[in-house]
Amino acid sequence: MIDVYSRAGNTADPPSLSPDYRSTVLRAPTRPLVIIPQTLSELTGPVYGHSDVGSGEADLTRQHARMPLGERIIVNGHVLDEAGRAVPNTLVEIWQCNAAGRYIHETDQHPAPLDPNFTGAGRVVTDADGHYQFTTIKPGAYPWRNHHNAWRPAHIHLSLFGPSFLTRLVTQMYFPGDPLFPFDPIYNSVTDAKARERMVCRFDMETTKPEWALGYSFDIVLRGPNATPPDSD
Amino acid sequence: MMKRTPSQTVGPYLHLGLTQGIFGAPEIFSPAVADSGLAGMHIRIEGRVLDGEGVGLPDALIETWQADSEGRYAHPADVRPPTANSFRGFGRCPTAKDGSFYIATVKPGCVPGPNGTTQAPHINVSVLARGVLRRLFTRIYFAGDPANAKDPILALVPADRRDTLLAKPDPKAPNVLRIDICLQGMNETVFFDA
């Protein structure tokens, strides 16, 4: 049975065990993955689209009575597959901390203020060209207890389905030039330097709105078709 | 060719993005996969996600993907005619503080496998968690189902590890099946690469 989806690109992902990120040590499977063919169960997947998400959910700055504190930004880009084809009508879920580096979550104990005007969660569905855009505020860096003086570089979490079970992706988008990159075990869990750079957005003057918000561009590439052509006979 | 965007962990605050209903947005995901009126054998699958020391993960989330009771997927790649019992087939459940999760659904039917084979009833499962850098993929099969013997995917699993994929009836609760997902340890769950 010929693969419908490429396996070659899987090497971009970090290994399950990345000991500098301590939480992986007891949570990474130790046995090799069992390699299986891509069956109908993997070639199908959940379909969520425009009918599931309100148009206002893409603006994280307008979920409360007032504007949140922080630097307003517009993040946009295309969701593509490895063949460069647009992935239309696919759900993108995002979440992040506020400008001070604090998550509105019961387990976040960082002594930085919550912002009553910022939740930090949103959803958007890509259009027919695979384009998405959301408005938010730039998240802050924050400390975590992985090692002495550990700080996460500013990042936004993104979760995508794509067209099948095999295209599922959860990633983090980072900001250009962050001085914390060399010290972050999660960013560096991706062992290939070029692959790490694909998690960093780019400042985008075209998206930047005068007197309003800075723009950033971030294209997301999901697993795509197997390059091997099918048998012709 | 475009290069893939690498995977990263959901981190400890996954609920903010993946269960947005808790934070005031409309909830579009649920562990209740099948409405009670849907035809089929209604089951509740319960278990825990456990780490290498047998401790439950309080910050994990499982997602399930399955066919309906007649083995049809609600997806354009399944080109067979839809059934009257069609449903979306996707479930999402964050773990509780003790690592426990549940999915309320109907038992899926058999679905086609590669090369003319038939796959036994099964549910595809994704495991996401703090400390999990790339989505883990496993399956839930049903202990005692006669179709398991000819399932082409189970056949690829070493015989002494197949048990980790089998949900088993809870002797104390009707229609409840139990399966733990062990990320490590003696009973480490089988994870797949497709």
Side-chain angles (χ1 to χ4, degrees):
Chain A
M1 185 180 179
I2 293 166
D3 286 342
V4 173
Y5 284 93
S6 156
R7 294 179 191 252
N10 295 0
T11 54
D13 288 335
S16 285
L17 178 63
S18 187
D20 288 347
Y21 174 24
R22 283 185 2 211
S23 300
T24 67
V25 172
L26 286 174
R27 296 182 171 196
T30 63
R31 309 275 203 116
L33 302 178
V34 174
I35 297 167
I36 64 169
Q38 297 167 0
T39 79
L40 191 61
S41 305
E42 289 75 41
L43 300 176
T44 54
V47 179
Y48 285 84
H50 293 279
S51 60
D52 297 297
V53 173
S55 57
E57 294 187 46
D59 189 342
L60 283 69
T61 68
R62 293 187 183 275
Q63 296 172 341
H64 299 275
R66 296 170 183 273
M67 278 282 174
L69 293 171
E71 185 182 335
R72 191 181 301 116
I73 61 173
I74 299 165
V75 178
N76 82 120
H78 286 87
V79 181
L80 306 164
D81 69 14
E82 288 172 281
R85 301 180 306 191
V87 179
N89 308 318
T90 202
L91 176 66
V92 183
E93 297 165 277
I94 72 161
W95 68 104
Q96 63 170 89
C97 63
N98 67 25
R102 178 83 187 266
Y103 283 90
I104 187 167
H105 191 287
E106 59 178 359
T107 63
D108 185 356
Q109 299 300 314
H110 176 36
L114 285 170
D115 183 339
N117 293 307
F118 192 69
T119 300
R123 292 186 284 234
V124 64
V125 176
T126 59
D127 68 14
D129 299 320
H131 186 259
Y132 74 93
Q133 175 171 306
F134 54 88
T135 302
T136 183
I137 51 97
K138 192 174 179 190
Y142 61 85
W144 57 315
R145 294 167 193 277
N146 184 71
H147 56 276
H148 174 67
N149 214 5
W151 292 78
R152 292 298 328 278
H155 63 273
I156 296 175
H157 297 266
L158 299 109
S159 165
L160 299 98
F161 285 107
S164 80
F165 185 82
L166 294 182
T167 52
R168 184 88 176 90
L169 175 70
V170 180
T171 189
Q172 299 181 23
M173 183 197 87
Y174 300 89
F175 290 86
D178 197 310
L180 292 168
F181 284 155
F183 309 103
D184 182 42
I186 295 180
Y187 178 71
N188 290 293
S189 68
V190 176
T191 54
D192 174 28
K194 287 216 164 81
R196 286 198 292 274
E197 288 168 15
R198 298 199 295 273
M199 300 188 292
V200 182
C201 65
R202 158 179 85 71
F203 172 67
D204 179 10
M205 191 55 109
E206 274 185 41
T207 303
T208 296
K209 277 197 185 166
E211 330 305 337
W212 185 248
L214 293 182
Y216 287 92
S217 172
F218 186 62
D219 289 341
I220 302 161
V221 181
L222 304 181
R223 199 167 169 186
N226 186 12
T228 310
D231 289 339
S232 55
D233 57 2
Chain B
M1 288 287 282
M2 306 278 294
K3 299 277 196 184
R4 291 250 298 275
T5 306
S7 172
Q8 294 271 271
T9 177
V10 294
Y13 312 121
L14 68 162
H15 311 95
L16 182 54
L18 300 176
T19 56
Q20 297 195 14
I22 296 173
F23 297 88
E27 187 56 86
I28 60 175
F29 300 105
S30 170
V33 180
D35 293 336
S36 57
L38 194 75
M41 179 186 168
H42 282 260
I43 53 173
R44 183 178 163 104
I45 298 173
E46 297 183 356
R48 296 172 72 204
V49 182
L50 302 166
D51 73 11
E53 293 180 341
V55 176
L57 273 64
D59 41 20
L61 176 132
I62 67 153
E63 293 179 342
T64 61
W65 171 242
Q66 66 170 96
D68 68 24
S69 59
E70 296 179 59
R72 300 290 203 284
Y73 285 104
H75 185 277
D78 190 337
V79 297
R80 298 168 295 164
T83 72
N85 302 322
S86 183
F87 70 153
R88 185 129 74 169
F90 182 74
R92 181 183 271 181
C93 185
T95 53
K97 288 190 167 53
D98 64 352
S100 61
F101 65 84
Y102 80 93
I103 293 289
T105 187
V106 291
K107 184 180 175 182
C110 290
V111 300
N115 305 318
T117 57
T118 297
Q119 300 189 72
H122 67 275
I123 297 174
N124 270 16
V125 179
S126 296
V127 183
L128 300 163
R130 175 175 69 84
V132 170
L133 284 163
R134 53 196 295 179
R135 181 265 302 256
L136 297 172
F137 163 29
T138 183
R139 283 182 167 196
I140 294 172
Y141 285 84
F142 297 86
D145 193 300
N148 289 345
K150 290 190 174 172
D151 183 84
I153 303 302
L154 278 178
L156 297 171
V157 176
D160 63 345
R161 300 190 65 205
R162 284 176 203 158
D163 195 57
T164 69
L165 300 174
L166 301 179
K168 301 181 181 77
D170 184 330
K172 286 173 285 190
N175 301 320
V176 173
L177 303 170
R178 296 204 58 85
I179 185 166
D180 288 339
I181 297 172
C182 301
L183 303 184
Q184 297 179 353
M186 289 279 288
N187 299 313
E188 182 175 311
T189 296
V190 169
F191 296 101
F192 294 110
D193 180 6

